[in-house]
Amino acid sequence: MNTLGRILTLTTFGESHGPAIGGVLDGMPAGIAVDTAFVEMQMQRRRPGQNTLVTARTESDNVEFLSGILDGRTTGAPIAFIIRNSDARPDDYRELGGIYRPSHADYTWEQRYGVRDWRGGGRASARVTAPVCAAGALAILALHSRYPELEIFAYTSQIGDISTSTEMPANPAFRDESPVRCPDREKSALMEALVSRVRSEGDSIGGCVSCIVRGLPAGIGNPVFDKLHAALGAAMLGINAAKGFEYGDGFASASQRGSVHNDAFRMENGRIVTATNHSGGIQGGISNGQDIRFRVAFKPTPTIAANQETVTADGREVTFSAHGRHDACVVPRAVPIVESLAALVLLDQCLAAGKY
Amino acid sequence: MNTLGRILTLTTFGESHGPAIGGVLDGMPAGIAVDTAFVEMQMQRRRPGQNTLVTARTESDNVEFLSGILDGRTTGAPIAFIIRNSDARPDDYRELGGIYRPSHADYTWEQRYGVRDWRGGGRASARVTAPVCAAGALAILALHSRYPELEIFAYTSQIGDISTSTEMPANPAFRDESPVRCPDREKSALMEALVSRVRSEGDSIGGCVSCIVRGLPAGIGNPVFDKLHAALGAAMLGINAAKGFEYGDGFASASQRGSVHNDAFRMENGRIVTATNHSGGIQGGISNGQDIRFRVAFKPTPTIAANQETVTADGREVTFSAHGRHDACVVPRAVPIVESLAALVLLDQCLAAGKY
Amino acid sequence: MNTLGRILTLTTFGESHGPAIGGVLDGMPAGIAVDTAFVEMQMQRRRPGQNTLVTARTESDNVEFLSGILDGRTTGAPIAFIIRNSDARPDDYRELGGIYRPSHADYTWEQRYGVRDWRGGGRASARVTAPVCAAGALAILALHSRYPELEIFAYTSQIGDISTSTEMPANPAFRDESPVRCPDREKSALMEALVSRVRSEGDSIGGCVSCIVRGLPAGIGNPVFDKLHAALGAAMLGINAAKGFEYGDGFASASQRGSVHNDAFRMENGRIVTATNHSGGIQGGISNGQDIRFRVAFKPTPTIAANQETVTADGREVTFSAHGRHDACVVPRAVPIVESLAALVLLDQCLAAGKY
Amino acid sequence: MNTLGRILTLTTFGESHGPAIGGVLDGMPAGIAVDTAFVEMQMQRRRPGQNTLVTARTESDNVEFLSGILDGRTTGAPIAFIIRNSDARPDDYRELGGIYRPSHADYTWEQRYGVRDWRGGGRASARVTAPVCAAGALAILALHSRYPELEIFAYTSQIGDISTSTEMPANPAFRDESPVRCPDREKSALMEALVSRVRSEGDSIGGCVSCIVRGLPAGIGNPVFDKLHAALGAAMLGINAAKGFEYGDGFASASQRGSVHNDAFRMENGRIVTATNHSGGIQGGISNGQDIRFRVAFKPTPTIAANQETVTADGREVTFSAHGRHDACVVPRAVPIVESLAALVLLDQCLAAGKY
């Protein structure tokens, strides 16, 4: 199942160390201007090799569009695009032989398909998120074309034990200066130091991405089995290394009373708004016009330098230590992926609601 | 979107105070013996009016099967069933008029469809989960038919600030004696007291359901956009009042290092197992043969007796206080719903993997 | 696969001799007035026992709506409905034992599911088209609500060797007086006589239904794999006993030259129209605003009184002669089914094109 | 809607005069050996420029596989492939300006999307069938891997008024020598002469492709709304210029009696077979183990040299005469497309029936 969405569908393909990765985005409204510089920027925010905190693999991640765009605008035909893997090094992985790397997908994928793609995770690699960013950039452009005020803002809200407040950041613009994509300048510095230390120790560390969507109108969402937050949750949980999803007050709601959690409605300039936003902008699976707020938890990258006990395909117990090019913390690079998936889900649900 | 699943699909219908609710389960393997006593038991675990902790609405929740079953076995044809609403009281809600109840779906549903079902939440009511339990019971029977050892065990792991340990409960059988569906006898008593107190105060309280799946073979799950945990997450987030989903170590993974989180593989009686289970039994979206572990957070029921500020459809600010028949805590009744959805998702993914 | 459609979906269920048949129609626009007299009329046009030409089974085919309608209008929630089988006589079929009736689905269904529903065809019976008519009536109401001029007119255009011209009938209103649903008075009499004769001989006869859709705007259709005519064709070929589908000049196009077949465009009252309509109102899978014209071929009912050679499930060769209650010609009763499926497909594609 | 299939899905993309066309085939069984010479051969059978009867456009139609294949075998990951358009000449079409070519999709596509792809039909061009052939070749390989005896044989059975008998051709091997893909040597010569004459007159001509599938086991097909013949019909009707689909005796069934049409079952070497095959190998939408037989009608290509009346986007009536590179008859090149789509549908339905 390599397709996301119902009316707007994104089908992705490609492996980490194959010739190319890419996608087909079908169902895009026609007539949307394709700002290739914006697509490029979103790709750059995700791509490897940006700074010393992330993997040393260098990929330009240039997107070649093959169809669905004419004279700079979408035509309604499916938009296919490919991204060549220029720094693929499949032979780096040959030595692995039949070793199942702990907490990687080597073993489970082989159980599923009876075949192992030994080239560095193959289709299970986080490299498959690059096409998501290209398609997500187009979805953002389409949403802005219809809702100019709409803003999707994701950021690193936790790495290890360092976390920001749950409020909207005071200085959002700082996020793009921060090497860890954290808009809180002080916390960013602490996070950066932590990732550096973890990296130098050959270890890895988890974290969280928070996302705020502003300007989405009320009435977007598909009850009962495709609620807005369920569709967002499914998309986010599909990101490599994701372990949890919550929206509004999320798990904290479990300790709350209704008298605290409920969001009173009131009028403001003739519009219905809520006094608080414990709901995270969604009630009954449908947007209420307030900010959509959600958070995604990521585990530490499983690739670490320490010796680990594991087994081989033929059942031998062995000791294994990783030497690839990997991120000590995936969270900063997950920020544009979260935004991209949010845009794809929101556009799909706007189309379904007849509100595009 | 009232359909769940891809190969096995459940389409549900019905409103809280309409004539009937029900569902159509399509794609069930043929030849499965339908144990109607088991279906009945699952319905009873969810139904209202079980004890003084839950809503006073009394529904027998008898399931009438209309198709797809012959001589006590499934035929491969779609299985339709209905549950009559015997204690519907739509007129209880007439007085609401155009009031939007805070943190209910009244406002958002009306924004989505331009129509308001004024009868107690209508399709947005938690009553729509009854058909899920009927269908889930059939899915459990089908899974047991193929994997006799497979066990899906959900339980209340948190209400308010009272929570159980994250380990598999020592005394699982106690769960079904506990009025709050908590297998920890001591915590159960505390939770029960808390719900009673909250109820007497006209308030409500949130909580969590945990679920453990034992005996699922390795190799179940659909990468990339329908990973096992993403499909489980989407289903669980669709339950009324759900605010979050995590699997394995979930949000706690965000603070962990890879050297702690990784699950070493080892051999045990000729089988590949993991030494720990931080992954929650899923790696790369596919089961690894260990226990699947996940947790769902629920907000407090929005229906409370206290006066709340809100607005009407015509923009008047009013004070509102609820007088319906409602649960002070939805979590105990969510336990069989979580099991049912888990069974539906697992069966769907077993079928997709060619492992049924 | 018991679901038709993409945005508007109809899931049907039920067997010929089970307790009830029915359906769930999801994705209907909200706010459509449900004219139950119209639904009833469409059901009556299809139901058995109308006159001496058709099966003697008597079913009132009353539709009970269970959900999705409030105060006489659709709410956007799924519309479920059931039709009780009041004249089911499963025991009539017990004597069949393991006999595979020639050109029935007994053998193939058993090969597919490993189970045989011995009750008169079970899910493979044409009785499963009754829910299609109920849902189709709602789709017609929705189309008329948006396009008041739109008309879907199906009629019997051939029975045996008797066929009408391919032009739009001169006297369409006569169709509903004709016991064979043929608007050509003279041909209707000939067809009626033919069906009576075939019936008295214990035999059956095939025929064709033609359909004309007037008033559909240009721009409806989903290229590449869900073209308007492909979606219509798939729906029509799903009707029991259907053997072929063509649109516009259809199979006759195979003998034509482009200089004859092409439809010249011209202006008429400021609108673009075509001078001829060999295309059947569809070019490149999308409507061009002219009449949609298509035709469906049906084989003779396989139930006949003559002795036929066949085999049993355990491989014995036997002679078989049918004694059930059956139609000598299914075509007249297929007329409202064709209209219903056309309405469901057109509404689905209008919604997909953003033209509802 | 650019995706075909349910479990095995093919998503295609690309325009006639854009940089590339291609597809993503998802759901392929893992471990299938990819015989690239066979893929190449299927592409060659469809490609333009093969002989003087077809369009002068020259395309090598080389398929570049980008993913899903490792060490010569499928991995279970989606298989993406692209075909560069090397002889695209979009500027040939600039002069068309706003002219709507009669019986082309220019006008309807523009009505659907509000945008016109002026480059020679764009996505509506028959060039979009090239990816179908690449994917179909893989499906044929997968079917042969599971059912070595299975054979899918399509051929030209009619051009203009010249048609072959409906029997299986006596000399099937001649088909691939015939420039019109007709296995009847005498009829092939007549068809060839007819196409040459029509071509020299600047006109075009229609025809039919027949297809026979041998060796498919009984029990393949998805009732009620995805019957084997309905799925085949929908796929075939999606081919450019297709106007009709019939299976078994098809439209001829309309004149038949049941006593003639019914296929008696009998035993043959311990297997259940039918004495005749009016059904075309399908009863109740499910295969019965006999030959599947169907036929597809194609209209004459709309591109002709004669002057034709038409209109422009701004409503002017003009005279138009085509000067592109086009086929006088699309039928010969449709033969491998029919086989490819049949293979994709059959594999999808085998997977759905759990019979792969």
Side-chain angles (χ1 to χ4, degrees):
Chain A
M1 246 292 300
N2 295 279
T3 300
L4 177 78
R6 299 178 180 282
I7 293 181
L8 177 76
T9 56
L10 172 65
T11 301
T12 67
F13 59 82
E15 290 88 39
S16 184
H17 294 268
I21 54 178
V24 184
L25 184 64
D26 195 12
M28 270 288 279
I32 305 298
V34 176
D35 177 345
T36 51
F38 177 73
V39 176
E40 168 84 0
M41 190 191 79
Q42 286 294 90
M43 296 306 292
Q44 293 311 310
R45 291 175 65 205
R46 193 216 67 92
R47 81 176 172 82
Q50 302 167 69
N51 59 43
T52 61
L53 293 181
V54 299
T55 173
R57 177 169 177 169
T58 55
E59 291 286 354
S60 55
D61 279 0
N62 288 325
V63 178
E64 181 189 5
F65 288 103
L66 299 177
S67 65
I69 300 171
L70 179 63
D71 300 335
R73 292 188 177 268
T74 60
T75 64
I79 300 171
F81 55 90
I82 59 173
I83 302 160
R84 297 276 171 186
N85 287 329
S86 52
D87 192 20
R89 300 186 193 166
D91 292 341
D92 282 12
Y93 295 88
R94 279 204 190 273
E95 68 185 271
L96 278 179
I99 290 177
Y100 295 132
R101 294 169 299 164
S103 287
H104 274 275
D106 304 336
Y107 171 65
T108 54
W109 191 283
E110 186 170 335
Q111 289 291 312
R112 176 68 168 84
Y113 293 104
V115 170
R116 175 150 178 200
D117 189 332
W118 46 264
R119 301 165 303 175
R123 181 78 184 139
S125 160
R127 180 140 185 79
V128 306
T129 58
V132 167
C133 286
L138 299 182
I140 291 169
L141 292 170
L143 284 166
H144 282 169
S145 166
R146 175 69 180 79
Y147 296 113
E149 307 295 308
L150 190 144
E151 185 186 4
I152 302 174
F153 185 86
Y155 59 97
T156 299
S157 56
Q158 182 181 346
I159 292 181
D161 289 324
I162 304 159
S163 55
T164 65
S165 88
T166 60
E167 297 303 297
M168 178 66 180
N171 180 14
F174 180 70
R175 176 196 58 178
D176 294 322
E177 295 176 40
S178 160
V180 292
R181 306 283 184 232
C182 175
D184 179 319
R185 192 180 296 264
E186 186 189 356
K187 294 293 171 63
S188 172
L190 293 171
M191 289 175 179
E192 190 177 352
L194 174 58
V195 176
S196 290
R197 188 167 69 247
V198 164
R199 181 183 183 77
S200 68
E201 293 167 13
D203 210 343
S204 62
I205 186 85
C208 288
V209 172
S210 292
C211 186
I212 296 169
V213 180
R214 293 213 153 143
L216 188 73
I220 309 295
N222 295 326
V224 170
F225 290 122
D226 193 35
K227 288 174 176 156
L228 180 51
H229 58 266
L232 286 168
M236 300 304 155
L237 289 163
I239 304 175
N240 304 58
K243 298 298 289 184
F245 171 87
E246 62 179 10
Y247 71 107
D249 284 1
F251 277 87
S253 313
S255 326
Q256 293 172 353
R257 291 196 173 206
S259 53
V260 168
H261 185 91
N262 280 6
D263 294 322
F265 285 110
R266 58 184 177 77
M267 301 304 299
E268 189 176 272
N269 304 325
R271 282 181 61 234
I272 293 176
V273 300
T274 62
T276 51
N277 190 9
H278 300 285
S279 299
I282 301 172
Q283 283 153 346
I286 302 173
S287 66
N288 67 0
Q290 305 302 299
D291 288 358
I292 309 288
R293 295 194 300 111
F294 64 87
R295 200 161 71 107
V296 190
F298 294 91
K299 70 172 188 177
T301 328
T303 305
I304 57 176
N307 282 342
Q308 300 179 79
E309 303 306 306
T310 191
V311 300
T312 61
D314 50 6
R316 283 176 301 115
E317 298 191 329
V318 294
T319 299
F320 166 78
S321 167
H323 302 292
R325 300 164 298 173
H326 292 277
D327 297 274
C329 181
V330 297
V331 172
R333 291 178 58 205
V335 166
I337 303 168
V338 166
E339 289 179 1
S340 295
L341 287 166
L344 289 162
V345 168
L346 293 174
L347 179 53
D348 188 32
Q349 298 230 343
C350 285
L351 290 165
K355 304 211 176 186
Y356 182 81
Chain B
M1 246 292 299
N2 295 277
T3 299
L4 178 78
R6 298 180 181 281
I7 294 181
L8 177 76
T9 57
L10 172 66
T11 301
T12 67
F13 58 82
E15 290 88 39
S16 184
H17 294 269
I21 54 177
V24 183
L25 183 64
D26 195 12
M28 270 287 280
I32 305 297
V34 175
D35 177 346
T36 51
F38 177 73
V39 175
E40 168 82 2
M41 190 191 79
Q42 287 293 91
M43 295 306 292
Q44 293 311 310
R45 292 175 65 205
R46 193 217 68 93
R47 82 176 171 83
Q50 301 166 68
N51 59 42
T52 60
L53 293 181
V54 298
T55 173
R57 177 170 178 169
T58 55
E59 290 286 354
S60 57
D61 279 359
N62 289 324
V63 178
E64 181 188 5
F65 288 103
L66 299 177
S67 65
I69 300 172
L70 179 64
D71 301 333
R73 292 187 177 270
T74 59
T75 64
I79 300 171
F81 55 90
I82 60 173
I83 302 160
R84 296 277 171 186
N85 288 328
S86 53
D87 192 20
R89 300 185 194 169
D91 291 341
D92 283 11
Y93 295 87
R94 280 202 191 273
E95 68 185 271
L96 278 178
I99 290 177
Y100 295 132
R101 294 169 298 163
S103 287
H104 273 275
D106 305 337
Y107 171 64
T108 55
W109 191 282
E110 186 170 336
Q111 289 291 313
R112 174 69 167 85
Y113 293 103
V115 169
R116 173 148 179 202
D117 188 332
W118 46 263
R119 300 166 303 175
R123 181 80 184 136
S125 160
R127 180 141 186 80
V128 307
T129 58
V132 167
C133 287
L138 299 182
I140 291 169
L141 291 170
L143 284 167
H144 282 169
S145 166
R146 175 68 180 80
Y147 296 112
E149 307 294 310
L150 189 145
E151 187 185 3
I152 301 174
F153 186 85
Y155 60 96
T156 299
S157 56
Q158 182 180 346
I159 292 182
D161 288 326
I162 305 159
S163 55
T164 65
S165 87
T166 59
E167 297 303 298
M168 179 66 179
N171 179 14
F174 180 70
R175 177 196 58 178
D176 293 323
E177 294 175 42
S178 160
V180 292
R181 305 283 184 232
C182 176
D184 179 317
R185 192 180 295 265
E186 185 188 357
K187 295 293 172 62
S188 172
L190 293 171
M191 289 174 179
E192 190 178 353
L194 174 58
V195 176
S196 289
R197 187 167 69 248
V198 164
R199 181 182 182 81
S200 68
E201 293 167 13
D203 210 343
S204 63
I205 186 85
C208 288
V209 172
S210 292
C211 187
I212 296 170
V213 180
R214 292 213 153 143
L216 187 74
I220 309 295
N222 295 327
V224 170
F225 290 122
D226 194 34
K227 287 173 178 157
L228 180 50
H229 58 265
L232 286 168
M236 301 303 155
L237 290 163
I239 305 174
N240 305 59
K243 297 300 289 185
F245 171 87
E246 62 178 10
Y247 71 106
D249 285 1
F251 277 87
S253 312
S255 326
Q256 294 172 354
R257 291 197 174 206
S259 52
V260 168
H261 186 90
N262 281 5
D263 294 321
F265 286 112
R266 57 184 178 77
M267 301 304 299
E268 190 176 271
N269 304 324
R271 282 181 61 234
I272 293 176
V273 299
T274 62
T276 51
N277 189 10
H278 300 285
S279 299
I282 300 172
Q283 283 154 345
I286 302 174
S287 66
N288 67 1
Q290 305 302 300
D291 288 359
I292 308 289
R293 295 195 302 110
F294 65 86
R295 201 160 72 106
V296 190
F298 294 91
K299 71 172 187 177
T301 327
T303 305
I304 58 176
N307 283 342
Q308 301 178 79
E309 303 305 307
T310 190
V311 300
T312 62
D314 50 6
R316 282 176 302 117
E317 297 190 330
V318 296
T319 298
F320 167 76
S321 165
H323 302 291
R325 301 164 298 173
H326 293 277
D327 298 274
C329 181
V330 297
V331 172
R333 290 178 58 204
V335 166
I337 303 167
V338 167
E339 289 179 1
S340 297
L341 287 166
L344 289 162
V345 168
L346 292 174
L347 180 53
D348 188 31
Q349 297 230 344
C350 285
L351 290 165
K355 305 210 177 186
Y356 183 81
Chain C
M1 246 293 299
N2 296 278
T3 299
L4 177 78
R6 299 179 180 281
I7 293 181
L8 177 76
T9 57
L10 171 65
T11 301
T12 67
F13 58 83
E15 290 88 38
S16 183
H17 294 269
I21 54 178
V24 184
L25 184 63
D26 195 11
M28 270 288 280
I32 304 297
V34 176
D35 177 345
T36 52
F38 178 73
V39 176
E40 168 82 3
M41 190 190 78
Q42 288 293 90
M43 296 306 292
Q44 293 311 310
R45 293 175 66 206
R46 193 216 67 94
R47 83 175 171 83
Q50 300 168 68
N51 57 44
T52 60
L53 293 181
V54 300
T55 173
R57 179 169 176 169
T58 55
E59 291 286 354
S60 56
D61 279 0
N62 290 323
V63 178
E64 182 189 4
F65 288 104
L66 299 177
S67 64
I69 300 171
L70 179 63
D71 300 335
R73 291 189 178 270
T74 60
T75 64
I79 300 171
F81 55 91
I82 60 173
I83 302 160
R84 295 279 171 186
N85 287 328
S86 53
D87 192 19
R89 300 186 194 167
D91 292 341
D92 283 9
Y93 296 87
R94 278 203 192 274
E95 67 186 272
L96 277 179
I99 290 177
Y100 295 132
R101 294 170 299 164
S103 287
H104 272 276
D106 304 336
Y107 170 65
T108 54
W109 191 282
E110 186 169 336
Q111 289 291 312
R112 174 70 168 83
Y113 293 104
V115 169
R116 173 148 179 204
D117 189 332
W118 46 263
R119 302 166 303 175
R123 181 79 184 137
S125 161
R127 181 143 185 78
V128 307
T129 58
V132 167
C133 286
L138 300 181
I140 291 169
L141 292 169
L143 285 166
H144 283 169
S145 166
R146 176 67 179 79
Y147 297 112
E149 307 294 309
L150 190 145
E151 186 186 2
I152 301 174
F153 185 85
Y155 60 97
T156 299
S157 55
Q158 181 180 346
I159 292 182
D161 288 325
I162 305 158
S163 56
T164 65
S165 87
T166 59
E167 297 303 297
M168 178 67 179
N171 180 15
F174 179 70
R175 176 195 59 178
D176 294 323
E177 294 175 43
S178 161
V180 292
R181 306 284 185 231
C182 175
D184 179 319
R185 194 180 294 264
E186 186 190 356
K187 295 293 171 64
S188 173
L190 293 171
M191 289 174 178
E192 191 176 352
L194 173 59
V195 175
S196 289
R197 189 169 67 246
V198 163
R199 182 182 182 79
S200 68
E201 293 168 12
D203 210 343
S204 61
I205 186 85
C208 287
V209 173
S210 291
C211 186
I212 297 170
V213 181
R214 292 213 154 143
L216 187 73
I220 308 297
N222 294 326
V224 170
F225 290 122
D226 193 35
K227 288 174 176 156
L228 181 49
H229 58 265
L232 286 168
M236 300 305 154
L237 289 164
I239 304 175
N240 305 57
K243 297 299 290 183
F245 171 88
E246 62 179 10
Y247 72 106
D249 284 2
F251 277 87
S253 312
S255 326
Q256 294 173 350
R257 291 196 173 206
S259 51
V260 168
H261 185 91
N262 280 7
D263 294 321
F265 286 110
R266 57 185 177 77
M267 301 304 298
E268 190 176 272
N269 305 324
R271 282 180 61 233
I272 294 176
V273 300
T274 61
T276 52
N277 190 8
H278 300 286
S279 298
I282 301 173
Q283 283 154 345
I286 302 174
S287 65
N288 68 1
Q290 304 304 299
D291 288 359
I292 309 288
R293 296 193 301 111
F294 64 86
R295 202 160 70 108
V296 190
F298 294 90
K299 71 172 186 177
T301 328
T303 305
I304 58 175
N307 282 343
Q308 300 178 80
E309 303 305 306
T310 189
V311 300
T312 62
D314 49 7
R316 282 177 301 116
E317 296 190 331
V318 295
T319 298
F320 166 78
S321 165
H323 303 291
R325 302 165 297 174
H326 292 278
D327 297 275
C329 181
V330 296
V331 171
R333 292 177 57 204
V335 166
I337 304 167
V338 167
E339 289 179 1
S340 297
L341 287 167
L344 289 162
V345 168
L346 292 175
L347 180 53
D348 188 31
Q349 297 230 345
C350 285
L351 290 165
K355 303 210 176 187
Y356 183 84
Chain D
M1 246 292 299
N2 295 279
T3 299
L4 177 79
R6 298 180 180 281
I7 293 181
L8 177 76
T9 57
L10 171 65
T11 302
T12 67
F13 57 82
E15 290 88 39
S16 183
H17 295 269
I21 54 178
V24 184
L25 183 64
D26 195 11
M28 270 288 280
I32 305 297
V34 176
D35 176 345
T36 50
F38 177 73
V39 176
E40 168 82 2
M41 190 190 78
Q42 287 293 91
M43 296 305 291
Q44 293 311 310
R45 293 176 64 206
R46 193 215 67 93
R47 82 176 172 82
Q50 302 168 67
N51 57 44
T52 59
L53 293 180
V54 300
T55 174
R57 179 170 176 168
T58 55
E59 289 286 354
S60 56
D61 279 0
N62 290 324
V63 178
E64 182 189 4
F65 288 104
L66 298 176
S67 65
I69 300 171
L70 179 63
D71 300 335
R73 292 187 177 271
T74 60
T75 64
I79 300 171
F81 55 91
I82 59 173
I83 301 160
R84 295 279 171 186
N85 288 328
S86 53
D87 192 19
R89 300 187 194 166
D91 290 341
D92 282 10
Y93 296 87
R94 279 203 192 272
E95 66 185 272
L96 277 178
I99 289 177
Y100 295 132
R101 294 170 298 165
S103 287
H104 273 275
D106 304 337
Y107 171 64
T108 54
W109 190 282
E110 185 169 337
Q111 288 292 312
R112 174 70 168 84
Y113 293 104
V115 169
R116 172 147 179 204
D117 188 332
W118 46 265
R119 302 167 301 176
R123 181 77 183 140
S125 161
R127 180 140 185 80
V128 307
T129 57
V132 167
C133 287
L138 299 181
I140 291 169
L141 292 170
L143 284 167
H144 283 169
S145 166
R146 175 68 180 78
Y147 296 112
E149 306 295 310
L150 191 144
E151 186 186 3
I152 302 174
F153 185 85
Y155 60 97
T156 298
S157 55
Q158 182 180 346
I159 292 182
D161 288 325
I162 304 159
S163 55
T164 65
S165 86
T166 60
E167 297 303 296
M168 179 67 179
N171 181 14
F174 179 70
R175 176 195 59 178
D176 294 322
E177 295 174 42
S178 160
V180 291
R181 306 284 184 231
C182 175
D184 179 319
R185 194 179 293 263
E186 185 189 358
K187 295 293 173 63
S188 173
L190 294 170
M191 290 174 179
E192 191 176 352
L194 174 59
V195 175
S196 289
R197 188 169 67 248
V198 163
R199 182 183 182 79
S200 67
E201 294 167 12
D203 210 342
S204 62
I205 186 84
C208 287
V209 173
S210 292
C211 186
I212 296 170
V213 180
R214 293 214 153 141
L216 187 74
I220 308 297
N222 295 326
V224 171
F225 291 122
D226 193 34
K227 288 173 176 155
L228 180 49
H229 58 266
L232 286 169
M236 299 306 153
L237 289 164
I239 305 175
N240 305 58
K243 296 300 289 185
F245 172 88
E246 61 178 10
Y247 71 105
D249 284 1
F251 277 87
S253 312
S255 326
Q256 294 173 350
R257 290 198 175 205
S259 51
V260 167
H261 185 91
N262 281 5
D263 294 321
F265 285 111
R266 57 184 177 77
M267 302 303 299
E268 190 175 273
N269 304 326
R271 282 180 61 234
I272 293 175
V273 299
T274 61
T276 51
N277 190 9
H278 300 286
S279 299
I282 301 173
Q283 283 154 345
I286 302 174
S287 65
N288 67 1
Q290 305 303 299
D291 288 359
I292 310 289
R293 295 194 302 111
F294 64 85
R295 201 159 72 107
V296 190
F298 294 90
K299 71 172 186 177
T301 327
T303 304
I304 57 176
N307 281 344
Q308 300 179 79
E309 303 306 306
T310 191
V311 300
T312 62
D314 49 6
R316 283 177 300 117
E317 297 190 330
V318 295
T319 298
F320 166 77
S321 166
H323 302 291
R325 301 165 296 173
H326 293 278
D327 298 275
C329 181
V330 297
V331 172
R333 291 178 57 204
V335 167
I337 303 168
V338 167
E339 289 179 1
S340 296
L341 287 166
L344 290 161
V345 168
L346 292 175
L347 180 53
D348 188 30
Q349 296 230 347
C350 285
L351 290 165
K355 303 210 176 187
Y356 184 83

